[in-house]
Amino acid sequence: MKTLIEVSGCFPVLNALNEQQFINAIEPRLIDIRNPVTGLQIDLFGKVTALTISREQGIVTAEIEVPDAFLVQHKLEQDQLREVLVGRISKLRHPATGAMAKVEACLAQDNAG
């Protein structure tokens, strides 16, 4: 499953980050999530497969890929997991300072079932 998430509100706090640094800030947020069905903590090994920074618009778009087997194993629907991903990415840790920055995250318009 691939999901596009738009992150905004991260400038100027995270303004100096390049693409790899944004990936490094996002990927740790994809570990140890709560299953929205059972409430149990599960390991999610999602990966940022693409990232676009639009500094003029103040938006970072991240493509996150989660193996389909993960959805089957945990009996999750794509929409359930997408909402969890958006929630987890609403805070990003600055890779250099370690400070948490609150950002706004939402599903990008281009998400297809």
Side-chain angles (χ1 to χ4, degrees):
M1 173 190 91
K2 288 188 179 181
T3 300
L4 291 176
I5 296 180
E6 288 184 352
V7 180
S8 60
C10 46
F11 300 101
V13 175
L14 301 174
N15 195 36
L17 300 185
N18 62 31
E19 288 182 14
Q20 186 58 53
Q21 290 169 317
F22 264 108
I23 291 170
N24 293 344
I26 293 170
E27 285 189 337
R29 303 296 295 158
L30 307 179
I31 300 171
D32 295 334
I33 65 166
R34 291 252 175 235
N35 183 321
V37 175
T38 65
L40 298 174
Q41 187 170 325
I42 53 178
D43 289 333
L44 171 63
F45 296 105
K47 181 177 181 175
V48 178
T49 54
L51 189 111
T52 306
I53 300 173
S54 300
R55 292 188 195 281
E56 317 77 49
Q57 298 173 325
I59 295 174
V60 174
T61 304
E63 178 185 83
I64 298 170
E65 186 170 1
V66 176
D68 291 332
F70 179 86
L71 294 168
V72 173
Q73 178 184 358
H74 295 284
K75 298 178 177 81
L76 295 173
E77 299 293 324
Q78 289 184 0
D79 288 340
Q80 291 172 311
L81 187 56
R82 285 183 171 138
E83 291 304 315
V84 170
L85 293 173
V86 167
R88 293 291 294 167
I89 295 173
S90 65
K91 289 183 186 174
L92 297 178
R93 186 173 303 281
H94 192 289
T97 66
M100 291 296 278
K102 186 162 176 43
V103 298
E104 305 226 356
C106 66
L107 291 174
Q109 295 296 325
D110 298 357
N111 279 297

